Amino acid sequence: MELELNEEQGLLQSGLRQLLEGACELRRVRRHSYDGDGRDPELWKELAEGGWTASGVPETLDGGGLGFEEAAIVALESGRSLLHQPLIETLLAARALQRAGCKAPLSEIAHDGASATLAVLELSRDFAPDPELPRARSTQAGWELSGEHFGVPFGPLAQRCLVEAELESGEAGLLWVSTDQTGVGWREVGAMDRTVRRYALTLEAVEVPGECGAGAGDALGELPDEWRVLLAAQTQGACARLLEMTVDYAKKREQFGRPIGANQAVKVRLALAAAAVERMLAAVYHAALKIEQGASDRGRAAAMAKLETASPGAEVATQGIHVHGALGYTWEQDVQLFAKRIKTNEILLGSDADCLERVARTIL
Amino acid sequence: MNLDLSPSEIAFREKFRAWLRENLTDDLKWERVADLSHSGAWEARRGFERRMGADGWLGVAWPREYGGQGATLLEQVIYQEELVRSGAPALTSSVGLELVGPILMEVGSEEQRHRFLTPILLGEEVWYQGFSEPNAGSDLAGLQTRAVLDGDEWVIHGQKVWGGFAEHADWGAVLARTDPDAPKHRGISFMIVPMKAPGITVSYIKEMTGGEHLNEVFFDGVRIPRENVLGPLNQGWRVANRLLGYERGVMTLPFATRYERFWEKLRDFASSNRRRGERLSERPHIRAALARSYVDVQMMRLANLRWLTHYLRGTPPAEETSYMKVYWAQAHQGLGDLALELGGGAALGLPGELETLAAGAFSNEWAFSRSTTILGGTQDIQRNIIAERILGLPRA
Ligand SMILES: Cc1cc2nc3c(=O)[nH]c(=O)nc-3n(C[C@H](O)[C@H](O)[C@H](O)COP(=O)(O)OP(=O)(O)OC[C@H]3O[C@@H](n4cnc5c(N)ncnc54)[C@H](O)[C@@H]3O)c2cc1C
């Protein structure tokens, strides 16, 4: 029985944390995401050189060959640093591509350092009332893809997009397109968390070479659950950092001649937040383990992890802002950056009611 | 990561399961013997524990040199979970096994160990825990029970409250003030008191469940030999506190097992009962409530298992046990609330009353679960510990 990182995983985590503490400071996140155009090719290059962007590609295809527990570690750290690049999306794309047996795209991730995002129906549904899957018609060269997706994270800021589409057979398939390809259109939509910009995607007779697509129905199956767990992990990381910042502030800020953190009312807020953050980690590890094992109850474990981080995460964020007083309400204070990521992750891919029903279906 | 048991852990579990199957007959199960006011209930529980002791199934955690099995922490958890799963009653020997025994091994004199350890291990002697007092609850170190040396004897005056089994116990582990002039944490000693001694009066307190398990104990000039102090004189606070954290640490895992069983009862109830023309388990808010409570119980277990992993790797338990107490209370009170929501009006009578659903089990669980934020260090005290000792916020 081991529900904790092993030594090697611990080293992996501290390696990535160190890299991100240096290369992805909050000042930089603000500069690129809020003041700039969202792109940060140098940071992506640094992540690629460290092997992180290809970590989800199998070793036989020159990737890092990391499993899902490690993917969760990457997501934890991406939340802690508020990483503004499509790293977990690229990891998830690599896993799905591998299940679908699509070698060429995996090679782009491994050799060209390609970044990827994901356009799937389940996320589209969070942004549009009745989205339909784009359709893929088979052609001599491969596929021709037309239709729409909504709420795609990073959109054209990533180089490739893995698109869920309905094949002529009626099956769902995954197709690999370049985000700047002819026929691919992006329209940015509002996203209070500017560190993950959002886009509507239109596909007009986009040509996709044949390798990827057919028989990929199973490959998609896992993707939403995996994404839920990585969002949960990201929220845990973001909450842990936000809580640390808030505890530090509560020790330093003085009113009535004592640190505000000496007041029991403040202590209770922070203790409850800490208890929530602590539990989130167990939920994330448990779900990562179940997915890694391909266990039959992995869907439930994923919903539990999402549930443990969704509204509890948003509550931690709210407390973080509150304990900072009016300062916490300002644009300049960093807690609000974390709060927006956490709140966004809560709402997407299943908030409380949806995840409770996912759990209920497996036990009732 | 993995959640699997090793072959030797599985073997350990199977061995204990087999023993329980053989020895825990229906008349000994929790429902039948929980209420000690029923005639024969106490004797039945004692008899069962003596059998456990004789076959080596008490004190499995104790080191082999003291007659235990030297069980690993994970085996201890397995042991406790099996005990709960089997439907066995809570052990009347637990204060001896989990509190007094380990303290004896650590700080007891040669004679004390010789005198007390074996009877605990064989289930022959019952211990009472006399810590809390009417004016010393959360602030336990403010306790006022006094022990004064008179020749070769201590003379004890005072009152304890909330401990159980006081009427039946052979021995009491009693915290008493032995130096009234010292700062409050440094004037307390850990006394071993024969509970049948003259001057001790025991009474019962009726709980909101209607049950009577908690005692008031009055000490009126009780005389005990001078050597009945456990550990150094005036160091009783430190001696007692070594083990209090353990109480709310991974040892809350067996409660998760108990709650899983209760949750299953609620699920079965929801899927076989209708209200206002609809099956309960088909109503969206009931489904959500059942799922929520399931998740709380599972999370209580998983959060514990993560820390258990740390302990198994050699990190000693510390203040994080306060987190476990917080989750425990949340899971239990949630279940209690859910039980009454499912049961509706028909469940609102207490056990023993007329026509109460599930023989009052639902309302009983609701009432009983109100105690979980109080016992073993209240929820507020746990939050203080988290804030001050884990997060490092300034003390008030
Ligand atoms: C079912 C049950 C079994 C028990 N078994 C035993 C036993 O076997 N042996 C034993 O010795 N004791 C036992 N106890 C007693 C238990 O340990 C005490 O009840 C507990 O420590 C609280 O003390 P109190 O009841 O005096 O409440 P108080 O300490 O008076 O607290 C009253 C309220 O004030 C709050 N409060 C107190 N101090 C603070 C603070 N500093 N900050 C914020 N809030 C505060 C508390 O949280 C609580 O809500 C048992 C209690 C119960 C309910």
Side-chain angles (χ1 to χ4, degrees):
Chain A
M1 202 291 302
E2 293 251 307
L3 191 65
E4 186 48 279
L5 306 183
N6 60 32
E7 206 180 326
E8 212 172 309
Q9 290 168 327
L11 289 172
L12 189 86
Q13 179 175 42
S14 52
L16 181 56
R17 185 171 299 185
Q18 224 170 10
L19 186 158
L20 289 170
E21 274 169 3
C24 180
E25 294 170 289
L26 289 176
R27 254 177 313 161
R28 185 185 185 112
V29 174
R30 276 185 187 268
R31 184 150 39 86
H32 289 276
S33 298
Y34 283 84
D35 307 330
D37 63 3
R39 293 177 197 273
D40 191 350
E42 298 96 75
L43 175 56
W44 188 262
K45 188 156 166 256
E46 199 164 337
L47 287 167
E49 278 164 5
W52 297 104
T53 64
S55 56
V57 176
E59 272 176 305
T60 49
L61 298 172
D62 302 325
L66 297 184
F68 196 73
E69 290 176 14
E70 289 76 11
I73 296 171
V74 172
L76 286 167
E77 295 309 314
S78 75
R80 212 186 150 73
S81 59
L82 211 64
L83 177 64
H84 52 299
Q85 296 296 305
L87 184 57
I88 64 169
E89 290 76 8
T90 303
L91 281 180
L92 289 168
R95 293 178 61 84
L97 288 163
Q98 190 196 340
R99 284 191 296 264
C102 303
K103 293 220 169 96
L106 285 168
S107 158
E108 292 175 17
I109 295 175
H111 296 122
D112 312 339
S115 56
T117 186
L118 309 156
V120 302
L121 185 61
E122 196 161 332
L123 187 64
S124 279
R125 286 199 173 118
D126 286 332
F127 288 82
D130 281 307
E132 283 182 16
L133 274 180
R135 286 172 200 276
R137 199 167 62 79
S138 71
T139 62
Q140 274 188 330
W143 306 88
E144 191 192 88
L145 182 59
S146 294
E148 294 176 301
H149 269 293
F150 301 91
V152 182
F154 301 102
L157 306 180
Q159 291 163 301
R160 305 280 186 273
C161 182
L162 193 60
V163 179
E164 183 187 4
E166 189 180 321
L167 308 180
E168 279 160 315
S169 60
E171 271 184 296
L174 292 173
L175 291 99
W176 183 245
V177 304
S178 290
T179 53
D180 58 359
Q181 205 174 324
T182 310
V184 174
W186 298 100
R187 180 170 50 83
E188 189 172 357
V189 297
M192 66 175 180
D193 174 18
R194 299 287 289 156
T195 65
V196 183
R197 297 183 186 201
R198 299 274 161 186
Y199 299 82
L201 164 65
T202 49
L203 302 148
E204 285 175 41
V206 176
E207 287 176 23
V208 185
E211 210 230 304
C212 210
D218 289 351
L220 177 78
E222 307 289 308
L223 182 60
D225 279 339
E226 293 184 355
W227 206 349
R228 264 188 275 285
V229 177
L230 295 196
L231 285 187
Q234 197 174 63
T235 291
Q236 200 284 338
C239 284
R241 175 96 177 271
L242 179 146
L243 180 63
E244 284 167 21
M245 292 163 57
T246 308
V247 168
D248 282 347
Y249 187 75
K251 290 178 189 170
K252 278 193 240 126
R253 167 76 175 170
E254 294 196 1
Q255 287 291 286
F256 302 101
R258 59 175 184 269
I260 55 168
N263 297 298
Q264 197 168 44
V266 175
K267 285 181 185 169
V268 168
R269 290 175 187 273
L270 296 177
L272 290 179
V277 173
E278 177 66 31
R279 241 169 80 147
M280 288 178 197
L281 194 55
V284 165
Y285 286 167
H286 173 247
L289 164 66
K290 290 289 180 178
I291 286 188
E292 179 65 39
Q293 290 177 330
S296 58
D297 56 355
R298 63 189 182 278
R300 178 169 69 221
M304 275 170 59
K306 188 68 175 41
L307 198 56
E308 277 294 303
T309 53
S311 56
E315 178 62 17
V316 169
T318 298
Q319 298 301 342
I321 293 169
H322 175 84
V323 169
H324 277 81
L327 205 57
Y329 180 63
T330 63
W331 192 261
E332 290 312 312
Q333 227 300 327
D334 290 329
V335 282
Q336 62 103 357
L337 300 181
F338 288 92
K340 287 172 180 167
R341 172 77 66 92
I342 292 164
K343 190 67 192 173
T344 301
N345 285 356
E346 174 197 357
I347 301 298
L348 300 180
L349 289 177
S351 55
D352 285 25
D354 178 63
C355 286
L356 281 171
E357 178 53 29
R358 279 174 192 283
V359 171
R361 245 180 273 150
T362 67
I363 54 179
L364 296 182
Chain B
M1 292 186 239
N2 72 81
L3 293 175
D4 309 323
L5 298 180
S6 71
S8 73
E9 286 153 1
I10 292 174
F12 175 86
R13 183 186 66 191
E14 293 310 314
K15 207 168 137 203
F16 188 39
R17 253 187 209 174
W19 188 89
L20 285 167
R21 247 193 324 266
E22 187 91 346
N23 292 278
L24 182 70
T25 43
D26 279 346
D27 55 317
L28 292 171
K29 294 220 166 138
W30 181 235
E31 304 79 47
R32 300 284 289 278
V33 295
D35 189 346
L36 291 179
S37 62
H38 283 184
S39 79
W42 176 259
E43 292 71 21
R45 282 166 79 168
R46 296 300 304 142
F48 176 64
E49 282 175 47
R50 273 194 295 271
R51 232 176 312 143
M52 289 182 85
D55 289 351
W57 286 113
L58 288 181
V60 294
W62 289 19
R64 287 182 190 281
E65 53 170 316
Y66 293 114
Q69 294 195 21
T72 65
L73 196 52
L74 188 50
E75 285 168 344
Q76 294 169 46
V77 168
I78 293 168
Y79 168 87
Q80 297 284 358
E81 287 185 343
E82 285 308 315
L83 210 50
V84 171
R85 200 166 281 142
S86 69
L91 296 183
T92 62
S93 312
S94 64
V95 173
L97 289 165
E98 276 147 39
L99 183 78
V100 178
I103 292 179
L104 277 166
M105 293 173 218
E106 217 174 296
V107 299
S109 70
E110 201 51 52
E111 289 103 78
Q112 286 170 339
R113 292 186 213 173
H114 189 75
R115 166 64 188 81
F116 294 113
L117 282 175
T118 305
I120 293 175
L121 196 67
L122 293 178
E124 282 165 359
E125 288 182 347
V126 176
W127 284 72
Y128 157 77
Q129 180 189 359
F131 285 14
S132 301
E133 296 181 6
N135 289 319
S138 299
D139 184 12
L140 184 58
L143 59 87
Q144 293 158 347
T145 293
R146 293 233 19 218
V148 179
L149 205 53
D150 177 23
D152 269 350
E153 290 179 323
W154 292 101
V155 184
I156 305 178
H157 283 275
Q159 182 189 346
K160 294 289 173 183
V161 69
W162 308 127
F165 307 137
E167 185 192 7
H168 301 284
D170 301 283
W171 298 97
V174 173
L175 292 180
R177 192 159 300 284
T178 39
D179 182 352
D181 301 323
K184 64 179 181 180
H185 294 91
R186 299 208 203 110
I188 295 169
S189 298
F190 196 120
M191 321 295 270
I192 300 174
V193 181
M195 292 299 286
K196 307 289 185 246
I200 294 184
T201 326
V202 174
S203 64
Y204 283 89
I205 298 171
K206 191 162 180 164
E207 298 148 45
M208 70 177 276
T209 54
E212 295 187 36
H213 303 282
L214 306 179
N215 297 118
E216 269 181 307
V217 180
F218 300 88
F219 298 84
D220 187 10
V222 177
R223 303 185 84 87
I224 63 168
R226 183 178 191 150
E227 62 272 16
N228 278 22
V229 175
L230 185 48
L233 192 64
N234 294 324
Q235 305 258 327
W237 181 255
R238 285 206 4 232
V239 170
N241 261 293
R242 301 189 93 96
L243 287 146
L244 286 182
Y246 182 79
E247 197 177 315
R248 56 179 180 258
V250 291
M251 284 308 145
T252 61
L253 268 169
F255 290 103
T257 306
R258 193 171 107 54
Y259 301 158
E260 277 167 9
R261 280 168 52 108
F262 189 71
W263 183 89
E264 285 163 11
K265 261 194 219 164
L266 296 184
R267 178 202 52 201
D268 294 346
F269 181 86
S271 42
S272 54
N273 282 275
R274 308 170 75 82
R275 180 140 339 117
R276 301 204 168 89
E278 202 180 3
R279 195 184 298 283
L280 285 168
S281 61
E282 281 158 15
R283 309 184 109 189
H285 82 279
I286 296 282
R287 295 174 68 77
L290 275 163
R292 162 64 61 200
S293 145
Y294 173 87
V295 171
D296 276 342
V297 175
Q298 292 308 313
M299 285 314 307
M300 171 187 169
R301 172 187 292 291
L302 292 168
N304 263 294
L305 290 179
R306 192 171 84 77
W307 280 102
L308 179 57
T309 309
H310 290 233
Y311 308 150
L312 292 169
R313 288 178 185 176
T315 316
E319 282 81 17
E320 69 280 349
T321 54
S322 291
Y323 287 132
M324 307 307 138
K325 177 70 206 299
V326 170
Y327 307 147
W328 167 20
Q330 183 181 338
H332 193 196
Q333 296 201 337
L335 272 176
D337 295 338
L338 179 58
L340 289 191
E341 180 170 4
L342 291 175
L348 295 174
L350 276 179
E353 291 186 346
L354 296 171
E355 285 193 34
T356 294
L357 190 71
F362 287 11
S363 60
N364 188 60
E365 199 68 34
W366 174 81
F368 178 43
S369 65
R370 298 310 102 178
S371 72
T372 321
T373 55
I374 302 166
L375 53 82
T378 75
Q379 202 78 336
D380 304 303
I381 297 303
Q382 306 306 337
R383 291 170 186 177
N384 287 346
I385 293 173
I386 293 169
E388 290 170 6
R389 300 198 217 146
I390 300 182
L391 302 180
L393 291 169
R395 299 203 173 208

